[in-house]
Amino acid sequence: MRSLKQVPVKNFYYMLMYAFRYPLDQFQEVIQTKEPTSPIDLWAMLFNREVGRLIRQGLVKEYQPVKEETGTIRGKIQFPESIQHQSFYRAKMVCEWDEMDANVTANRVLKSTLERILNDNSVGKEIQLESSRLLTYLLDIPSIELTNRTFQSLNVKGRYKAYHLAFYLSEMIAADAFIEKGQSQNRLDTIDESKNLGNLFEDFVREFYRLHLPGFSIGSETFTWGNHPMLPKMITDISMKSANRYIIMDTKYYVSALSQQFDVEKLRSAHLYQLNAYLQHAKLMAGAEMTIEGVLLYPKVDKGFDETFELLGHKVRVCTLDLTASWRRIEERLMTVVSGCI
């Protein structure tokens, strides 16, 4: 997304910490002792920290099939292959068994990302030295091509939950589309719209409110149109409920938050239709004492806007968040969005 050229690297650090539920000071020394000079440095520094943590706690291992000729009987004896290779003449048999091994896709992604960092001349030398050191713990693990299919196949549940942030950072590093030559070195230039950054924006906002809105239950919510199997489900980005307020917020990471109709700027109808569908379903579920409200939140692009109106009986606010501002201003703005105008 070329429009978010001026987002400070530090702000993306804070967004990551919120989105992945890390304490804000978890990696504070990373940006205090040596502030990253580019987004790729930030991703790589945090990735190194995550890989180091995973190595210390023990990389995930899975049972892998092993087949070899051995003098010690293990697992299942493969008689046809033993006869074919005349193993008995050597007092051996071909056996097959399962063995715990760290050669799994998740760890192969870690290794390949470290190699990507080492091959990227835009990454700081100190960061590359640390990546090189970490690679020595993964020498027996083969590399893997870092593609969309690879990342889509990754599991972040169960034992792999600890890999979640590392996977996200790996995908950002692999994309390698964040630095535009000639721009200020400590700024992020997102060259085109990224689903990853959109997810980061959504998760950051949700977790921010989870921490800063006591008295509210906050999360995503699923609405259904009915029981027919062909009817789609609707999942809100953020639902916030208190004793008497029910706020549904949709975050939109778009190049252009507004559309043009006959040279006049208008709100995007598809976004309003979606929010209205959420609000109408919420009305069916909420008690009479609940005030149902809606918010569409966009990152500020060329200019900000803040509009409040009534949509089919519900108060709605459509506004922007300036991610280039100081972090204190960002926090203040987010609190104002849900408290100052609804």
Side-chain angles (χ1 to χ4, degrees):
M1 184 188 290
R2 293 183 60 85
S3 52
L4 293 179
K5 295 180 180 180
Q6 299 302 314
V7 178
V9 174
K10 272 189 176 182
N11 286 0
F12 274 88
Y13 162 79
Y14 287 123
M15 290 171 66
L16 278 168
M17 295 301 99
Y18 270 110
F20 289 90
R21 300 189 181 184
Y22 278 76
L24 290 184
D25 60 352
Q26 179 79 20
F27 300 112
Q28 192 71 27
E29 73 278 8
V30 172
I31 59 174
Q32 285 182 340
T33 59
K34 185 174 177 59
E35 182 175 348
T37 57
S38 68
I40 191 66
D41 272 2
L42 176 65
W43 311 141
M45 290 172 75
L46 294 180
F47 182 78
N48 283 344
R49 291 300 184 95
E50 283 295 282
V51 173
R53 178 182 63 81
L54 291 169
I55 290 172
R56 288 191 298 272
Q57 75 178 34
L59 297 174
V60 167
K61 295 182 179 181
E62 300 283 359
Y63 280 107
Q64 306 286 343
V66 178
K67 183 191 292 186
E68 66 180 46
E69 188 181 66
T70 174
T72 303
I73 301 300
R74 298 184 63 182
K76 296 180 180 179
I77 299 174
Q78 303 297 313
F79 286 103
E81 293 181 47
S82 298
I83 294 171
Q84 180 182 353
H85 293 93
Q86 297 184 332
S87 301
F88 51 87
Y89 284 123
R90 296 181 292 276
K92 295 182 177 182
M93 298 293 282
V94 176
C95 297
E96 185 174 4
W97 66 93
D98 290 335
E99 193 171 88
M100 291 291 282
D101 195 334
N103 180 14
V104 296
T105 301
N107 296 330
R108 296 173 71 187
V109 166
L110 298 185
K111 180 175 182 176
S112 297
T113 306
L114 292 171
E115 292 172 337
R116 179 67 65 91
I117 293 171
L118 288 175
N119 292 325
D120 190 335
N121 293 329
S122 67
V123 177
K125 295 301 180 185
E126 291 184 17
I127 300 171
Q128 289 183 321
L129 284 173
E130 176 62 11
S131 296
S132 180
R133 186 187 71 82
L134 292 168
L135 265 176
T136 62
Y137 294 92
L138 306 173
L139 293 178
D140 295 332
I141 298 172
S143 302
I144 191 172
E145 188 177 1
L146 299 176
T147 64
N148 286 334
R149 181 172 296 181
T150 299
F151 288 112
Q152 289 169 3
S153 71
L154 295 173
N155 177 22
V156 292
K157 297 180 180 179
R159 292 180 298 161
Y160 290 101
K161 187 175 182 180
Y163 283 67
H164 195 184
L165 179 55
F167 288 161
Y168 179 86
L169 294 167
S170 173
E171 194 164 0
M172 299 293 273
I173 292 166
D176 195 21
F178 301 97
I179 300 175
E180 181 177 5
K181 302 303 181 183
Q183 296 295 329
S184 175
Q185 287 186 323
N186 65 346
R187 300 288 173 172
L188 178 68
D189 180 25
T190 48
I191 292 176
D192 49 30
E193 186 172 339
S194 165
K195 180 180 179 181
N196 285 337
L197 290 175
N199 290 338
L200 175 63
F201 183 58
E202 174 189 331
D203 292 343
F204 148 62
V205 174
R206 182 189 305 110
E207 296 308 317
F208 176 88
Y209 286 128
R210 193 192 303 275
L211 283 177
H212 295 285
L213 282 185
F216 281 79
S217 62
I218 297 173
S220 295
E221 197 170 11
T222 301
F223 297 131
T224 60
W225 295 94
N227 296 323
H228 194 282
M230 293 190 69
L231 290 174
K233 293 180 179 180
M234 298 185 297
I235 303 176
T236 65
D237 288 348
I238 307 167
S239 294
M240 298 177 266
K241 297 180 183 178
S242 68
N244 56 6
R245 297 181 69 193
Y246 191 167
I247 306 170
I248 295 178
M249 177 179 290
D250 226 22
T251 59
K252 301 294 185 182
Y253 196 84
Y254 268 64
V255 175
S256 301
L258 303 175
S259 61
Q260 292 282 339
Q261 296 182 12
F262 304 104
D263 297 326
V264 177
E265 291 184 327
K266 298 286 187 179
L267 299 174
R268 291 186 175 271
S269 57
H271 297 173
L272 291 172
Y273 293 150
Q274 183 180 23
L275 181 62
N276 180 61
Y278 292 154
L279 295 174
Q280 297 306 319
H281 277 76
K283 183 178 180 180
L284 297 176
M285 300 171 60
E289 72 284 357
M290 296 284 282
T291 300
I292 303 172
E293 307 151 303
V295 178
L296 283 174
L297 182 66
Y298 301 84
K300 179 182 175 182
V301 183
D302 299 320
K303 62 180 181 179
F305 59 87
D306 194 337
E307 302 294 335
T308 304
F309 50 87
E310 189 170 290
L311 180 65
L312 298 180
H314 301 291
K315 291 183 179 179
V316 169
R317 183 174 189 172
V318 184
C319 54
T320 56
L321 176 67
D322 185 1
L323 295 176
T324 70
S326 69
W327 193 253
R328 181 183 295 274
R329 293 290 298 274
I330 289 174
E331 290 182 329
E332 291 173 351
R333 173 63 171 166
L334 283 172
M335 295 305 296
T336 300
V337 165
V338 295
S339 62
C341 71
I342 296 182

mmCIF file of all heavy atoms in Angstrom, residues 47-61 102 107 110-111 114 130-139 141 162-163 166:
data_model
loop_
_atom_site.group_PDB
_atom_site.id
_atom_site.type_symbol
_atom_site.label_atom_id
_atom_site.label_comp_id
_atom_site.label_asym_id
_atom_site.label_seq_id
_atom_site.Cartn_x
_atom_site.Cartn_y
_atom_site.Cartn_z
ATOM 1 N N PHE A 47 12.544 -11.424 14.666
ATOM 2 C CA PHE A 47 12.549 -12.826 14.245
ATOM 3 C C PHE A 47 13.701 -13.579 14.911
ATOM 4 O O PHE A 47 13.519 -14.695 15.405
ATOM 5 C CB PHE A 47 12.670 -12.927 12.722
ATOM 6 C CG PHE A 47 12.630 -14.337 12.210
ATOM 7 C CD1 PHE A 47 11.421 -15.016 12.102
ATOM 8 C CD2 PHE A 47 13.795 -15.001 11.855
ATOM 9 C CE1 PHE A 47 11.375 -16.334 11.650
ATOM 10 C CE2 PHE A 47 13.763 -16.311 11.400
ATOM 11 C CZ PHE A 47 12.553 -16.970 11.299
ATOM 12 N N ASN A 48 14.887 -12.971 14.948
ATOM 13 C CA ASN A 48 16.015 -13.607 15.627
ATOM 14 C C ASN A 48 15.682 -13.886 17.083
ATOM 15 O O ASN A 48 16.011 -14.956 17.622
ATOM 16 C CB ASN A 48 17.255 -12.720 15.532
ATOM 17 C CG ASN A 48 17.925 -12.791 14.173
ATOM 18 O OD1 ASN A 48 17.668 -13.698 13.376
ATOM 19 N ND2 ASN A 48 18.803 -11.831 13.898
ATOM 20 N N ARG A 49 15.041 -12.921 17.753
ATOM 21 C CA ARG A 49 14.675 -13.118 19.155
ATOM 22 C C ARG A 49 13.704 -14.282 19.311
ATOM 23 O O ARG A 49 13.825 -15.096 20.230
ATOM 24 C CB ARG A 49 14.045 -11.835 19.727
ATOM 25 C CG ARG A 49 15.019 -10.681 19.884
ATOM 26 C CD ARG A 49 16.162 -11.055 20.820
ATOM 27 N NE ARG A 49 17.055 -9.951 21.052
ATOM 28 C CZ ARG A 49 16.977 -9.123 22.085
ATOM 29 N NH1 ARG A 49 16.019 -9.285 22.980
ATOM 30 N NH2 ARG A 49 17.852 -8.147 22.226
ATOM 31 N N GLU A 50 12.742 -14.368 18.404
ATOM 32 C CA GLU A 50 11.766 -15.449 18.483
ATOM 33 C C GLU A 50 12.410 -16.809 18.226
ATOM 34 O O GLU A 50 12.115 -17.790 18.912
ATOM 35 C CB GLU A 50 10.629 -15.207 17.486
ATOM 36 C CG GLU A 50 9.636 -14.162 17.932
ATOM 37 C CD GLU A 50 8.889 -14.610 19.174
ATOM 38 O OE1 GLU A 50 7.962 -15.422 19.076
ATOM 39 O OE2 GLU A 50 9.256 -14.152 20.275
ATOM 40 N N VAL A 51 13.284 -16.888 17.223
ATOM 41 C CA VAL A 51 13.954 -18.162 16.940
ATOM 42 C C VAL A 51 14.821 -18.574 18.125
ATOM 43 O O VAL A 51 14.841 -19.749 18.523
ATOM 44 C CB VAL A 51 14.802 -18.060 15.655
ATOM 45 C CG1 VAL A 51 15.632 -19.329 15.453
ATOM 46 C CG2 VAL A 51 13.902 -17.833 14.447
ATOM 47 N N GLY A 52 15.543 -17.626 18.718
ATOM 48 C CA GLY A 52 16.338 -17.939 19.899
ATOM 49 C C GLY A 52 15.486 -18.483 21.027
ATOM 50 O O GLY A 52 15.868 -19.448 21.712
ATOM 51 N N ARG A 53 14.316 -17.893 21.234
ATOM 52 C CA ARG A 53 13.405 -18.365 22.291
ATOM 53 C C ARG A 53 12.929 -19.780 21.983
ATOM 54 O O ARG A 53 12.883 -20.640 22.878
ATOM 55 C CB ARG A 53 12.209 -17.418 22.390
ATOM 56 C CG ARG A 53 11.173 -17.831 23.429
ATOM 57 C CD ARG A 53 9.992 -16.875 23.430
ATOM 58 N NE ARG A 53 9.285 -16.887 22.172
ATOM 59 C CZ ARG A 53 8.386 -17.806 21.816
ATOM 60 N NH1 ARG A 53 8.104 -18.808 22.639
ATOM 61 N NH2 ARG A 53 7.764 -17.726 20.659
ATOM 62 N N LEU A 54 12.567 -20.046 20.728
ATOM 63 C CA LEU A 54 12.078 -21.366 20.354
ATOM 64 C C LEU A 54 13.170 -22.427 20.511
ATOM 65 O O LEU A 54 12.900 -23.552 20.936
ATOM 66 C CB LEU A 54 11.573 -21.345 18.905
ATOM 67 C CG LEU A 54 10.294 -20.531 18.674
ATOM 68 C CD1 LEU A 54 10.033 -20.366 17.183
ATOM 69 C CD2 LEU A 54 9.097 -21.191 19.352
ATOM 70 N N ILE A 55 14.402 -22.066 20.191
ATOM 71 C CA ILE A 55 15.524 -23.005 20.354
ATOM 72 C C ILE A 55 15.736 -23.321 21.830
ATOM 73 O O ILE A 55 15.946 -24.473 22.221
ATOM 74 C CB ILE A 55 16.802 -22.431 19.712
ATOM 75 C CG1 ILE A 55 16.670 -22.432 18.187
ATOM 76 C CG2 ILE A 55 18.031 -23.226 20.135
ATOM 77 C CD1 ILE A 55 17.792 -21.707 17.468
ATOM 78 N N ARG A 56 15.660 -22.282 22.674
ATOM 79 C CA ARG A 56 15.871 -22.492 24.112
ATOM 80 C C ARG A 56 14.787 -23.373 24.724
ATOM 81 O O ARG A 56 15.073 -24.212 25.589
ATOM 82 C CB ARG A 56 15.931 -21.145 24.839
ATOM 83 C CG ARG A 56 17.217 -20.353 24.571
ATOM 84 C CD ARG A 56 17.340 -19.181 25.522
ATOM 85 N NE ARG A 56 16.252 -18.235 25.357
ATOM 86 C CZ ARG A 56 16.249 -17.221 24.493
ATOM 87 N NH1 ARG A 56 17.283 -17.062 23.673
ATOM 88 N NH2 ARG A 56 15.223 -16.399 24.414
ATOM 89 N N GLN A 57 13.545 -23.184 24.296
ATOM 90 C CA GLN A 57 12.463 -23.974 24.880
ATOM 91 C C GLN A 57 12.344 -25.345 24.209
ATOM 92 O O GLN A 57 11.668 -26.239 24.732
ATOM 93 C CB GLN A 57 11.137 -23.228 24.786
ATOM 94 C CG GLN A 57 10.509 -23.192 23.408
ATOM 95 C CD GLN A 57 9.169 -22.470 23.408
ATOM 96 O OE1 GLN A 57 8.967 -21.508 24.155
ATOM 97 N NE2 GLN A 57 8.249 -22.922 22.587
ATOM 98 N N GLY A 58 13.011 -25.519 23.078
ATOM 99 C CA GLY A 58 12.985 -26.798 22.375
ATOM 100 C C GLY A 58 12.107 -26.746 21.145
ATOM 101 O O GLY A 58 10.892 -26.497 21.255
ATOM 102 N N LEU A 59 12.717 -26.955 19.981
ATOM 103 C CA LEU A 59 11.956 -26.940 18.735
ATOM 104 C C LEU A 59 10.962 -28.098 18.712
ATOM 105 O O LEU A 59 11.213 -29.174 19.254
ATOM 106 C CB LEU A 59 12.900 -27.048 17.540
ATOM 107 C CG LEU A 59 13.897 -25.888 17.349
ATOM 108 C CD1 LEU A 59 14.854 -26.209 16.213
ATOM 109 C CD2 LEU A 59 13.169 -24.582 17.079
ATOM 110 N N VAL A 60 9.836 -27.863 18.076
ATOM 111 C CA VAL A 60 8.822 -28.910 17.950
ATOM 112 C C VAL A 60 9.378 -30.058 17.112
ATOM 113 O O VAL A 60 10.029 -29.845 16.086
ATOM 114 C CB VAL A 60 7.538 -28.348 17.304
ATOM 115 C CG1 VAL A 60 6.616 -29.474 16.873
ATOM 116 C CG2 VAL A 60 6.815 -27.423 18.275
ATOM 117 N N LYS A 61 9.107 -31.278 17.556
ATOM 118 C CA LYS A 61 9.497 -32.472 16.811
ATOM 119 C C LYS A 61 8.249 -33.314 16.543
ATOM 120 O O LYS A 61 7.299 -33.298 17.313
ATOM 121 C CB LYS A 61 10.520 -33.302 17.593
ATOM 122 C CG LYS A 61 11.864 -32.596 17.798
ATOM 123 C CD LYS A 61 12.847 -33.495 18.553
ATOM 124 C CE LYS A 61 14.196 -32.804 18.729
ATOM 125 N NZ LYS A 61 15.166 -33.680 19.430
ATOM 126 N N ALA A 102 13.156 -33.105 14.281
ATOM 127 C CA ALA A 102 12.819 -31.681 14.151
ATOM 128 C C ALA A 102 12.634 -31.264 12.701
ATOM 129 O O ALA A 102 12.340 -30.094 12.423
ATOM 130 C CB ALA A 102 13.907 -30.823 14.800
ATOM 131 N N ASN A 107 9.965 -25.760 11.335
ATOM 132 C CA ASN A 107 11.384 -25.500 11.561
ATOM 133 C C ASN A 107 12.130 -25.235 10.259
ATOM 134 O O ASN A 107 13.115 -24.489 10.240
ATOM 135 C CB ASN A 107 12.014 -26.680 12.305
ATOM 136 C CG ASN A 107 11.419 -26.858 13.685
ATOM 137 O OD1 ASN A 107 10.996 -25.892 14.323
ATOM 138 N ND2 ASN A 107 11.345 -28.096 14.154
ATOM 139 N N LEU A 110 11.729 -21.625 9.654
ATOM 140 C CA LEU A 110 12.663 -20.843 10.470
ATOM 141 C C LEU A 110 14.037 -20.785 9.800
ATOM 142 O O LEU A 110 14.642 -19.713 9.678
ATOM 143 C CB LEU A 110 12.794 -21.453 11.862
ATOM 144 C CG LEU A 110 11.540 -21.531 12.746
ATOM 145 C CD1 LEU A 110 11.918 -22.054 14.123
ATOM 146 C CD2 LEU A 110 10.837 -20.196 12.845
ATOM 147 N N LYS A 111 14.526 -21.940 9.365
ATOM 148 C CA LYS A 111 15.854 -21.984 8.756
ATOM 149 C C LYS A 111 15.889 -21.167 7.470
ATOM 150 O O LYS A 111 16.825 -20.381 7.246
ATOM 151 C CB LYS A 111 16.253 -23.432 8.462
ATOM 152 C CG LYS A 111 17.643 -23.526 7.815
ATOM 153 C CD LYS A 111 18.106 -24.954 7.627
ATOM 154 C CE LYS A 111 19.503 -24.986 7.022
ATOM 155 N NZ LYS A 111 20.029 -26.367 6.899
ATOM 156 N N LEU A 114 16.009 -17.428 8.169
ATOM 157 C CA LEU A 114 17.349 -17.002 8.591
ATOM 158 C C LEU A 114 18.278 -16.886 7.385
ATOM 159 O O LEU A 114 19.070 -15.937 7.281
ATOM 160 C CB LEU A 114 17.923 -17.985 9.606
ATOM 161 C CG LEU A 114 17.241 -18.022 10.980
ATOM 162 C CD1 LEU A 114 17.773 -19.191 11.803
ATOM 163 C CD2 LEU A 114 17.441 -16.707 11.736
ATOM 164 N N GLU A 130 23.834 -12.462 14.074
ATOM 165 C CA GLU A 130 22.992 -13.222 14.995
ATOM 166 C C GLU A 130 22.220 -14.312 14.243
ATOM 167 O O GLU A 130 22.080 -15.430 14.735
ATOM 168 C CB GLU A 130 22.023 -12.285 15.717
ATOM 169 C CG GLU A 130 21.021 -12.963 16.645
ATOM 170 C CD GLU A 130 21.666 -13.730 17.797
ATOM 171 O OE1 GLU A 130 22.884 -13.579 18.020
ATOM 172 O OE2 GLU A 130 20.939 -14.475 18.486
ATOM 173 N N SER A 131 21.739 -13.996 13.040
ATOM 174 C CA SER A 131 21.040 -15.002 12.232
ATOM 175 C C SER A 131 21.975 -16.152 11.894
ATOM 176 O O SER A 131 21.580 -17.321 11.927
ATOM 177 C CB SER A 131 20.496 -14.369 10.946
ATOM 178 O OG SER A 131 19.523 -13.385 11.226
ATOM 179 N N SER A 132 23.234 -15.818 11.573
ATOM 180 C CA SER A 132 24.221 -16.850 11.254
ATOM 181 C C SER A 132 24.469 -17.751 12.456
ATOM 182 O O SER A 132 24.588 -18.982 12.313
ATOM 183 C CB SER A 132 25.527 -16.193 10.803
ATOM 184 O OG SER A 132 26.501 -17.159 10.494
ATOM 185 N N ARG A 133 24.533 -17.166 13.652
ATOM 186 C CA ARG A 133 24.737 -17.959 14.865
ATOM 187 C C ARG A 133 23.565 -18.902 15.098
ATOM 188 O O ARG A 133 23.743 -20.085 15.432
ATOM 189 C CB ARG A 133 24.902 -17.034 16.066
ATOM 190 C CG ARG A 133 25.259 -17.753 17.370
ATOM 191 C CD ARG A 133 25.238 -16.800 18.550
ATOM 192 N NE ARG A 133 23.888 -16.399 18.893
ATOM 193 C CZ ARG A 133 23.043 -17.123 19.639
ATOM 194 N NH1 ARG A 133 23.420 -18.321 20.091
ATOM 195 N NH2 ARG A 133 21.841 -16.676 19.919
ATOM 196 N N LEU A 134 22.356 -18.420 14.907
ATOM 197 C CA LEU A 134 21.172 -19.245 15.126
ATOM 198 C C LEU A 134 21.094 -20.387 14.119
ATOM 199 O O LEU A 134 20.601 -21.476 14.435
ATOM 200 C CB LEU A 134 19.909 -18.378 15.037
ATOM 201 C CG LEU A 134 19.728 -17.353 16.164
ATOM 202 C CD1 LEU A 134 18.615 -16.375 15.825
ATOM 203 C CD2 LEU A 134 19.441 -18.045 17.494
ATOM 204 N N LEU A 135 21.588 -20.157 12.915
ATOM 205 C CA LEU A 135 21.553 -21.197 11.890
ATOM 206 C C LEU A 135 22.345 -22.437 12.295
ATOM 207 O O LEU A 135 22.051 -23.546 11.842
ATOM 208 C CB LEU A 135 22.104 -20.652 10.566
ATOM 209 C CG LEU A 135 21.085 -20.121 9.553
ATOM 210 C CD1 LEU A 135 21.795 -19.545 8.345
ATOM 211 C CD2 LEU A 135 20.117 -21.216 9.130
ATOM 212 N N THR A 136 23.351 -22.266 13.143
ATOM 213 C CA THR A 136 24.167 -23.413 13.558
ATOM 214 C C THR A 136 23.350 -24.437 14.338
ATOM 215 O O THR A 136 23.745 -25.601 14.433
ATOM 216 C CB THR A 136 25.359 -22.958 14.417
ATOM 217 O OG1 THR A 136 24.883 -22.335 15.618
ATOM 218 C CG2 THR A 136 26.240 -21.977 13.649
ATOM 219 N N TYR A 137 22.205 -24.011 14.909
ATOM 220 C CA TYR A 137 21.342 -24.938 15.638
ATOM 221 C C TYR A 137 20.384 -25.679 14.703
ATOM 222 O O TYR A 137 19.661 -26.580 15.139
ATOM 223 C CB TYR A 137 20.516 -24.188 16.686
ATOM 224 C CG TYR A 137 21.341 -23.583 17.802
ATOM 225 C CD1 TYR A 137 21.809 -22.272 17.713
ATOM 226 C CD2 TYR A 137 21.655 -24.319 18.940
ATOM 227 C CE1 TYR A 137 22.577 -21.713 18.734
ATOM 228 C CE2 TYR A 137 22.412 -23.768 19.966
ATOM 229 C CZ TYR A 137 22.873 -22.466 19.847
ATOM 230 O OH TYR A 137 23.631 -21.913 20.861
ATOM 231 N N LEU A 138 20.360 -25.276 13.423
ATOM 232 C CA LEU A 138 19.394 -25.847 12.486
ATOM 233 C C LEU A 138 20.075 -26.512 11.296
ATOM 234 O O LEU A 138 19.458 -26.693 10.247
ATOM 235 C CB LEU A 138 18.448 -24.737 11.980
ATOM 236 C CG LEU A 138 17.726 -23.914 13.056
ATOM 237 C CD1 LEU A 138 16.973 -22.761 12.416
ATOM 238 C CD2 LEU A 138 16.757 -24.782 13.848
ATOM 239 N N LEU A 139 21.344 -26.893 11.462
ATOM 240 C CA LEU A 139 22.119 -27.424 10.342
ATOM 241 C C LEU A 139 21.520 -28.707 9.776
ATOM 242 O O LEU A 139 21.609 -28.968 8.569
ATOM 243 C CB LEU A 139 23.570 -27.677 10.784
ATOM 244 C CG LEU A 139 24.388 -26.426 11.125
ATOM 245 C CD1 LEU A 139 25.790 -26.823 11.590
ATOM 246 C CD2 LEU A 139 24.470 -25.475 9.924
ATOM 247 N N ILE A 141 18.429 -29.507 9.555
ATOM 248 C CA ILE A 141 17.079 -29.294 9.030
ATOM 249 C C ILE A 141 17.183 -28.724 7.621
ATOM 250 O O ILE A 141 17.877 -27.726 7.408
ATOM 251 C CB ILE A 141 16.293 -28.337 9.943
ATOM 252 C CG1 ILE A 141 16.137 -28.947 11.343
ATOM 253 C CG2 ILE A 141 14.923 -28.017 9.347
ATOM 254 C CD1 ILE A 141 15.538 -28.006 12.357
ATOM 255 N N ALA A 162 3.366 -21.379 19.870
ATOM 256 C CA ALA A 162 4.552 -20.597 20.227
ATOM 257 C C ALA A 162 5.277 -20.061 18.999
ATOM 258 O O ALA A 162 6.105 -19.158 19.101
ATOM 259 C CB ALA A 162 5.516 -21.445 21.055
ATOM 260 N N TYR A 163 4.973 -20.600 17.822
ATOM 261 C CA TYR A 163 5.617 -20.181 16.576
ATOM 262 C C TYR A 163 4.870 -19.034 15.883
ATOM 263 O O TYR A 163 5.326 -18.540 14.846
ATOM 264 C CB TYR A 163 5.679 -21.347 15.599
ATOM 265 C CG TYR A 163 6.738 -22.387 15.861
ATOM 266 C CD1 TYR A 163 6.685 -23.206 16.987
ATOM 267 C CD2 TYR A 163 7.782 -22.601 14.971
ATOM 268 C CE1 TYR A 163 7.640 -24.180 17.222
ATOM 269 C CE2 TYR A 163 8.745 -23.570 15.189
ATOM 270 C CZ TYR A 163 8.673 -24.365 16.319
ATOM 271 O OH TYR A 163 9.628 -25.326 16.537
ATOM 272 N N ALA A 166 6.720 -15.789 15.055
ATOM 273 C CA ALA A 166 7.835 -16.109 14.151
ATOM 274 C C ALA A 166 7.332 -16.329 12.733
ATOM 275 O O ALA A 166 7.949 -15.870 11.763
ATOM 276 C CB ALA A 166 8.589 -17.337 14.653
#
